Amino acid sequence: MAYGKHVTEILYGGDYNPEQWPREVWEEDMRMMRKAHINVVTLNVFSWASLQPSEDIYDFERLDEIMGMVRDHNLKVCMATSTGAHPAWMAKRHPDILRTEANGMKRKFGGRHNSCPNSPTYQKYAPRLAGLLAERYKNYDNIVGWHVSNEFGGECYCENCEKAFQQWLKKKYGTIEEVNRSFNTAFWGHTFYEFDEIVLPNYLSEHFGEDRTMFQGISLDYRRFMSNSMMECFKLEYNAIKKVIPDARITTNLMGFYKNLDYQKWAKYLDFISWDSYPAPEDAPATIAMNHDLMRGVNGQESFVLMEQTPSVTNWQPFNKLKRPGQMRLLSYEAMAHGADAIQFFQIRRTVGACEKYHGAVIDHAGREDTRVFREIETLGAELPHLKDILRARTPSEVAILFDWDNWWAVEYSAGPSIYLKYLDAIKDYYTAAFEKNVPVDIVSVEDELSSYKVVIAPLLYMTKTGVDEKLRMYVKNGGVFITTYFSGIVEEHDLVIGAYPGKLRDILGIWVEEQDALPEGEQNHFTYGGKDYPAKMLCDLMYLESARALSFYEEDFYQGTPVITENRFGKGKAYYVGTRSTAEFYRRFMENVFRDAQVYPVLNTPKDVEAAVRENSRGRYLFLLNHSKISRKIALPMDCEDMLEERAVAANSPIELPAMEVRIFRYK
Amino acid sequence: MAYGKHVTEILYGGDYNPEQWPREVWEEDMRMMRKAHINVVTLNVFSWASLQPSEDIYDFERLDEIMGMVRDHNLKVCMATSTGAHPAWMAKRHPDILRTEANGMKRKFGGRHNSCPNSPTYQKYAPRLAGLLAERYKNYDNIVGWHVSNEFGGECYCENCEKAFQQWLKKKYGTIEEVNRSFNTAFWGHTFYEFDEIVLPNYLSEHFGEDRTMFQGISLDYRRFMSNSMMECFKLEYNAIKKVIPDARITTNLMGFYKNLDYQKWAKYLDFISWDSYPAPEDAPATIAMNHDLMRGVNGQESFVLMEQTPSVTNWQPFNKLKRPGQMRLLSYEAMAHGADAIQFFQIRRTVGACEKYHGAVIDHAGREDTRVFREIETLGAELPHLKDILRARTPSEVAILFDWDNWWAVEYSAGPSIYLKYLDAIKDYYTAAFEKNVPVDIVSVEDELSSYKVVIAPLLYMTKTGVDEKLRMYVKNGGVFITTYFSGIVEEHDLVIGAYPGKLRDILGIWVEEQDALPEGEQNHFTYGGKDYPAKMLCDLMYLESARALSFYEEDFYQGTPVITENRFGKGKAYYVGTRSTAEFYRRFMENVFRDAQVYPVLNTPKDVEAAVRENSRGRYLFLLNHSKISRKIALPMDCEDMLEERAVAANSPIELPAMEVRIFRYK
Amino acid sequence: MAYGKHVTEILYGGDYNPEQWPREVWEEDMRMMRKAHINVVTLNVFSWASLQPSEDIYDFERLDEIMGMVRDHNLKVCMATSTGAHPAWMAKRHPDILRTEANGMKRKFGGRHNSCPNSPTYQKYAPRLAGLLAERYKNYDNIVGWHVSNEFGGECYCENCEKAFQQWLKKKYGTIEEVNRSFNTAFWGHTFYEFDEIVLPNYLSEHFGEDRTMFQGISLDYRRFMSNSMMECFKLEYNAIKKVIPDARITTNLMGFYKNLDYQKWAKYLDFISWDSYPAPEDAPATIAMNHDLMRGVNGQESFVLMEQTPSVTNWQPFNKLKRPGQMRLLSYEAMAHGADAIQFFQIRRTVGACEKYHGAVIDHAGREDTRVFREIETLGAELPHLKDILRARTPSEVAILFDWDNWWAVEYSAGPSIYLKYLDAIKDYYTAAFEKNVPVDIVSVEDELSSYKVVIAPLLYMTKTGVDEKLRMYVKNGGVFITTYFSGIVEEHDLVIGAYPGKLRDILGIWVEEQDALPEGEQNHFTYGGKDYPAKMLCDLMYLESARALSFYEEDFYQGTPVITENRFGKGKAYYVGTRSTAEFYRRFMENVFRDAQVYPVLNTPKDVEAAVRENSRGRYLFLLNHSKISRKIALPMDCEDMLEERAVAANSPIELPAMEVRIFRYK
């Protein structure tokens, strides 16, 4: 759930940084926001230096003034804690707050994401500021949320982190012998005798390139440790606020498929999920939706806040193309279709200096309300009140994709068989096939309950952590349909090989994979499926049937005639193994068959590039139709509906014209 | 003006390093130089270690000997100060002289460009050596110039530089508040309270890639500071020499469009300009000429010295192609056509060891005078005396291109809208169009007087420093024709956005640019100009006419039908805005129209790839015809002339055959 | 000679690391090895940390147990000294053992190849361990060889190395003046006055990119020094073992054309050669054979041990393709055809953790003996006993290719004329032409005797060290045929240019090379040879005939009609100069003519991609036929033979069918 139960409207607004402007501009900002139907601002994201000019001096005067003004203008507030970048004076006086890079380079003051998570200085001052803010503003009932730091991310390799890592390992493993076993240090004789012999895995030690490590075990644990270190920093601030305001709703803005942080672990400590969506111009609608679904998924499929998106352009991509007319609205509704309950922008007024001055904003450098972008924002702002019944509606999914950060890290640390093994590619293959069929998908963790799903897909499930095989075994036994792929079931949670592949999944899948043939770029094998020929790319598993039957066979090379896709009846369910990577066309066809067989039905059959998505709550069931194509499309509704934006009834089967980039939102009758 | 009024011949020679050779070779060098008609040598470029073997010991014995010999052989001398690379012992005993790289890496002894400009050791010993040289050789009247250091360049990020930068900022801004305002530190809360909190902007702080910075303001100031730091080193040596020889003519060898150093500022402190021209094999004649014109332009359009060029090959390019027969001569005369008064080579005798041993030289490793290269040098040497009347002639230009180092730095530090925004590309677009029409161009700074020009072009004038808009405003009001382009007028000198685009140029141009659409690689829009269709590439400005009229419109996408090229009558003049980037064909066509309209006429109409250039002085007007193509061309002269090399008259309109790579130089009658 | 005279069988086995496994697995390993006909294991490669848990504590208990077991199972042992990676505790307590990278980055514990060769700690503990191992296991008569460290390699730039380098230079040059002369420090004034001013040449000093240096002389000497430093480490261990076991046979595993180490120098201190062959999937059979021939060549053409190859896949290539059925056997026999007397794998049992867990092994993760790979290993193991007579047979070659590490380093440090100058490319051009004709080639050093060869080829012999020209002069005078190429004879051993090109080879070749034209990518000239047109690529030497005659001429550009290939009669012999680089087709044709003229005959004429190779000893003459193609081929034997694997006679001229990837080995009758 997003901003909490007392919020009864769809919040609309964004990051507002009046501290960058003289006071005379503020009133104009208020007028423009009102005109744009904005009702929420995120304040105080980057003011640490200003709030704390020195060790023990704090100055909230300007923030008081800002808070007073926005309350006077009936704006709700998402209150940031300002700890996303530390003050220059702090870096100078307490260099332990500065990070060290993977090549051992100790940083100086600059940028953001610049605090070492294991810095005593940071751990002291960040929660102290959060607590002081909570104390000072606890009585502002227009504060709908607290926003800790900003886009936690990056990593550190300083001496404090090294010591903390040694402690973390000691706590995790107990003995040095257990560390040695987990990292398989016997290989190359890296045996440790004391915890203080362990150094951080980076370019000074075990790493030799992007994601290239000589010891996967220690590198994996470093990722876990670093994600956890930052999470502990979040928790320090969280607790400081809660101590003052027990019912505060606290979040931090996440970043979708952000590799460094295991959001599935983080989400347990967030009161609600908020995230920043910055798709590249070339990102497909499915890719964008997949991010939303992940963000909904990390917190039990509850609705979330779209904390940031750009109204028009970004500034940091190589080519910062304008969002086309209608595109910002389309992307906003796509977010909502997948679970967003609030739509917010970065940023309200475009900054005049530093690296984001060419990043889009509600109020442009020209300061005019007749810009194309402002008018589109105003239009969307006027529509949202029609949709407030959708608040807290959920997505009814019968299909789950299993996603796991540990597995992501492990797959991409793997030395062999192919540098092209990319976890997100595999996830996207299957997600896109479902998306294009308008089949809603939940993206779940290995800890989530699976029994409610008809189909569970775990692409490239290389690592099977303790209990995962048993959960999947029970799921299939009880009638579930399970799909996994090449290079799955290989290792346990320390990245140690389990044995014959696919390890603990072998009985469920009914196969033994003997070898994996990694194809060089440009080479491929082929197979026939459903009467059509498809390429087998990147990796070809060579397998033997044990209890499974083969659905398709390799057509070339020395493994011609051996299985490539298998189906295994197991208990009341079925388990499929797809032993290679193929084309989007194949995944569409394959998933179509699986869905039909498993009685999973689309929300609606729509023309190409028109998305249909559904949310539902006690107030109704809502259908989103989004035309992602560049041409107008016709669609007939499955039943009598109410067009929520136009507030009029639409009869079942009456054809609806949906122009390019247009959106319609209906309530089922 | 190049080497000074007492020089009455075109000097011809180059860098001569006898200290690399046993004495028995020297006499042979003298003989070969005489044979090649060489009359000037640059001496003592890299002898610091030999001249100063220790703290307080100097040894000029060998240099005395060399100076005696070259005087005996009637050679003029350009005397270098040897401070382009410091001695190894100095680096060892005074490590403050070593530079620190942008990633914080403190260098050890090696290379050249190796002295930190803010090193106390360097600032002490470099001018001391220059002063001692002046003292010792002040009575040599064959010294025509003094050559400080060598190719100043690079940068340093050491602690001394950091402290100097803090001081420089204090001097520039007075207060820390003013620094904060200029850098817009309120963004991301980078507010400084004390000057000593400021760190150098590099990979340890605000930078994260080639030209990528999080705070443009500080990065820009660092470039200014570093260019200035090196200039101060130049000035220390300059003053040390002048103190001894008040009428010495002092220079240092510049490098054309060298980004790190703001030569427009430097030129104020140079008695004359000299520079090193090392075009790549693929460089167009226009590109080479553009460099010469810049070098002429930084010093009030006075003639200059071509201090270095290679007689044959370079050694440092990926593929070091031979200069074809005739090509060295063609390039030498191209330099002269654009203002060179002396032609010098690097180097006289090819070195046998270290990284430049495969760089071309007058005397090759074989030591023979029957090499192709030597014979071409000899031929050119024999021709130059015919041209001495050209000395100090000037280029009569009616067109100026405005070039500004601050703008160069700012454009390419910009985060957004497109990584393809490259200042020199934009300059080259317009320069080439004029060059190919044989329209002489002056490249001027924002401080230069514009009133004498009929057309002033300021491509990509992103930054409008204080006073620039007013200068342009007056220029156009008084009848001038002004051209600027996309992404212009955006920021003031601290890289802070001025407001609605194009900022302070808005009234002059009569437009408002609302948005900029950066096109990804491979995408383009189109427009029609003069009946022909052209692509709009990289960046498309979306604009509204205020007082301007549109000359052309976008033909595609949602901004189809909106203006792409505009013309604004302003006062007695006109201002054009070209809102996108297009092809060479477009620039040719567009400039042709502008020139016709402004009554700017070519030197001569010539066949494709034949350049016509003019210089003039009190002794006459000189026409250079240079055939850059690979085929023979026919040209008729516009009036009766004298062929200066052949010393014969040529009648107007009589056709002249100009073989491939051939050059003719005429004096108008 | 490989494992020593007392070994009378072809050893077959590989690296065995039981220390990574619980004891219960060991017995199964023994069973599987026996089944695979394995008779040798390399033990103890990475056990330093386990053998020496602290400063003065050693623990050989587990190794005793392993040694006992393998002796009980009649396995021979290649005993490694375990010093290829040091213990973590040692790195912590004695950081001098850690290496420093070329950018000055001091490493921490990690990886392998991690000991600084000039570390006092390493120099103390490594030989101590080797000596203790020798002492403990000296009575094990199943030890057939000692294996020092593992794949020596890499480099170090720490302070200890810097000091050692200064000492090394002092020893080599005696005086600092001689260092200055050798490095040509007069260029850029890098003159040293004391040895302690000399710093290591790397990114902190003279280097600025991969193989890019400002002073070739010092960079070359650093490579010599570093190769020597590691060799000295090898020798420390060698001597420690020999002191205990005077007749021990000691090796270390080399890596073919490994640039960092001058194996021609190393080989003098190895009792026999062993090496690790890991071809990429795209490597041609000729490339693989060329490596074997180099490894045979560094030790006087004696037979060697193939110490490592993968049974199936590697894990470290971008795409780790499976070896196809039959391919491992084909590659094993190719090794033997070129001199291998033992065939060993890395590794016996596939490790379950760290970076090599997806590297192939005899026993796979599944632990099964019915895998394709195990079955192929078993098959090969059963064949080898048939071939034991081949042990210690030699290759009868009439052709030598001269290969020189100093030259390799010098060519690729050269600044100009072309970055495409790659020594191995030039070597491969000529080697491949001979290989494809089934002409055996010895790869020899400049110190080897040449008189027994009919043809000596020295491609790209850029550096002619002292004595080399005289050796070649005598060789040709006495009737030898000599071939060299573009950019040869340029420098002496300090990389100082000798004078007119090709320097001291000028009289032998009878030409003067005046210039070198480096062609940019995509450009080429042409020439006609033997009636066919060929491209001239990369570098075109422009030359004058002195006593040579031209065999072919450039056909384009300004040097059209000048010689490109020349032949010079010199004494009783001939010297060819090939002044450019061309295609494989040209090299085939050219070498065919040279061979015919020199009366060099192929082992056998075979169809395309079928290799014929010969070894011979007192027991007979052995013919290897290897079908590297993907189709079956027919070949007739030149005389009556015995098929050694099938143990049956084959009559001369009877056609033999050789399926794809098949091998036949015959003994001549």
Side-chain angles (χ1 to χ4, degrees), chain C residues 612-624:
Chain C
V614 150
R615 288 177 70 181
E616 56 189 23
N617 61 14
S618 59
R619 290 181 293 276
R621 183 171 163 94
Y622 315 95
L623 173 68
F624 292 74

Side-chain angles (χ1 to χ4, degrees), chain A residues 1-2 273 292-293 296 301-306 332-343 390-395 613-615 624:
Chain A
M1 177 172 54
I273 298 299
H292 289 304
D293 286 354
R296 189 184 73 233
Q301 312 300 335
E302 292 215 350
S303 65
F304 57 86
V305 170
L306 179 63
S332 299
Y333 283 132
E334 187 179 18
M336 195 177 294
H338 288 268
D341 270 2
I343 304 295
I390 300 176
L391 278 176
R392 287 180 279 283
R394 295 174 66 96
T395 300
V614 151
R615 290 177 67 180
F624 291 75

Side-chain angles (χ1 to χ4, degrees), chain C residues 1-4 11 15 40 42 45 78-80 144-152 234 249-258 261 263 266-278 291-292 294-299 302-309 335 339-345:
Chain C
M1 176 171 59
Y3 276 124
L11 293 190
D15 277 27
V40 67
T42 299
V45 178
C78 178
M79 175 63 100
V144 288
W146 287 79
H147 174 303
V148 170
S149 190
N150 187 57
E151 293 184 344
F152 274 98
F234 169 81
R249 302 269 306 159
I250 309 177
T251 191
T252 183
N253 46 347
L254 308 183
M255 296 180 285
F257 285 94
Y258 177 68
L261 302 182
Y263 289 150
W266 279 59
K268 294 181 184 128
Y269 302 97
L270 270 65
D271 292 331
F272 65 100
I273 298 298
S274 67
W275 88 283
D276 302 345
S277 178
Y278 290 105
N291 277 274
H292 290 304
L294 176 73
M295 293 288 88
R296 190 184 71 233
V298 297
N299 191 26
E302 292 212 352
S303 64
F304 58 85
V305 169
L306 179 64
M307 184 64 85
E308 294 184 16
Q309 67 170 340
D341 271 1
I343 303 295
Q344 296 180 218
F345 299 105

